[in-house]
Amino acid sequence: METLLRHNFTSHYLLPANAAANLSIGTNAAYFELDDVNGETQLFTVVSNAPAVYHNNGIYDVVIINHDKFISTLPPVYQQKKKRCDLIVYTSLNQYFLLNELSDTASNYLDYPDQAGTRTGKKIQATKQLSESLDRLMNVPAIKTFINNFVIKRCCFFNKQPDAPLVNALQSFNRFNTLIKGGAKRANADIEAHGFELFDYLGRQSFDLN
C-alpha cells in the first residue's frame, strides 16, 4: 500500500513521486494502541491512553500508514484545503482495511453550527476527513483494486473523550462505553457507496481484529 501511495496515487493526481521517510510501521502484537504526536505515528503495545485501541485477537500482521503525513508532504498546491484522516490500517490475509481519525476532544464534539450556520463539531469534521480521504484513495484504480480485496472495510473515528453532553455524567458514559465495546455504527451514504462502514469508538472502546 505504501508503494501504491508513493507511485500510483501521485501519478494519478499528476504529482511527483513521494519520498517522505517513515510513513509506515508494522506490528503483530496481540494488543496495541495508536496515537499521532507532532505528525508522527506512535504505536504502544501496553495500555497508554492513546485514542485508538486494538485487540489483535487473530494475531494478524498489521501495517499502519501515516496518511496525514503522506498528504502533508505532497506539493502545497495539491494539499491545500484537502481534509485528510490520520492513518490507514490494514491486516494480513486481506481481512481488514481501515481508515482512522484520532481525536482527544472533550468539547465541541457534536454537530453544533457556528454563527454562519456551518456545522463545526469534531464528529462532523472527522467524518469529512474520513470520507474525503476515502474518495481520493478509491479514485486511484490500482488502490481501489487493492482495497476491494479486503473482507472488512471501515472508516473509524476514535475519540478518547466522551460526548459533550456526558462530560458531567461520567458514570453514564462509562455504562455506555461498556455496553458498546466494539464501537457504534453510523449511517453515511458517501462512505457506504465505496463498500465501507462508518464507526465511532469513544473512550476505551476498542476495535477487535478477530
Side-chain angles (χ1 to χ4, degrees):
M1 181 66 192
E2 183 176 341
T3 299
L4 292 173
L5 288 172
R6 291 186 186 276
H7 298 285
N8 296 76
F9 184 98
T10 54
S11 175
H12 180 81
Y13 291 106
L14 304 179
L15 302 168
N18 183 277
N22 303 317
L23 280 183
S24 64
I25 55 177
T27 185
N28 62 0
Y31 175 90
F32 63 93
E33 300 183 11
L34 300 174
D35 202 352
D36 176 83
V37 179
N38 298 323
E40 297 293 340
T41 306
Q42 301 295 313
L43 169 69
F44 307 94
T45 56
V46 296
V47 175
S48 302
N49 200 34
V53 179
Y54 281 89
H55 288 92
N56 187 9
N57 302 319
I59 312 299
Y60 294 101
D61 291 324
V62 182
V63 178
I64 303 111
I65 296 178
N66 192 329
H67 175 262
D68 181 36
K69 180 178 181 179
F70 169 70
I71 297 295
S72 297
T73 54
L74 296 175
V77 67
Y78 173 79
Q79 61 170 289
Q80 187 176 15
K81 294 185 179 180
K82 282 186 170 58
K83 298 185 182 301
R84 73 290 300 263
C85 67
D86 290 311
L87 304 175
I88 296 170
V89 177
Y90 65 95
T91 73
S92 55
L93 305 179
N94 289 345
Q95 186 66 17
Y96 294 89
F97 189 97
L98 315 168
L99 299 187
N100 284 194
E101 177 61 23
L102 313 181
S103 179
D104 183 11
T105 304
S107 61
N108 198 28
Y109 170 69
L110 296 178
D111 183 12
Y112 297 120
D114 62 14
Q115 291 181 343
T118 303
R119 301 294 184 177
T120 59
K122 179 57 183 176
K123 191 173 188 177
I124 297 301
Q125 294 304 312
T127 303
K128 290 179 180 178
Q129 288 169 276
L130 290 162
S131 180
E132 291 188 21
S133 297
L134 180 59
D135 280 343
R136 285 192 297 272
L137 291 170
M138 297 298 276
N139 283 338
V140 181
I143 293 179
K144 180 177 181 178
T145 297
F146 177 81
I147 292 174
N148 282 341
N149 286 322
F150 288 81
V151 177
I152 297 170
K153 301 182 284 289
R154 287 187 187 178
C155 289
C156 306
F157 174 42
F158 290 94
N159 185 24
K160 67 181 181 181
Q161 298 291 337
D163 286 6
L166 299 178
V167 168
N168 294 321
L170 193 54
Q171 184 176 359
S172 297
F173 170 71
N174 286 336
R175 256 196 322 271
F176 170 80
N177 194 16
T178 301
L179 289 172
I180 312 179
K181 290 183 179 179
K185 183 178 178 180
R186 282 196 286 129
N188 185 284
D190 293 334
I191 287 173
E192 291 165 5
H194 291 298
F196 278 66
E197 296 176 309
L198 174 63
F199 274 75
D200 291 340
Y201 299 84
L202 307 179
R204 300 306 294 170
Q205 290 176 343
S206 63
F207 195 116
D208 290 350
L209 300 168
N210 295 315

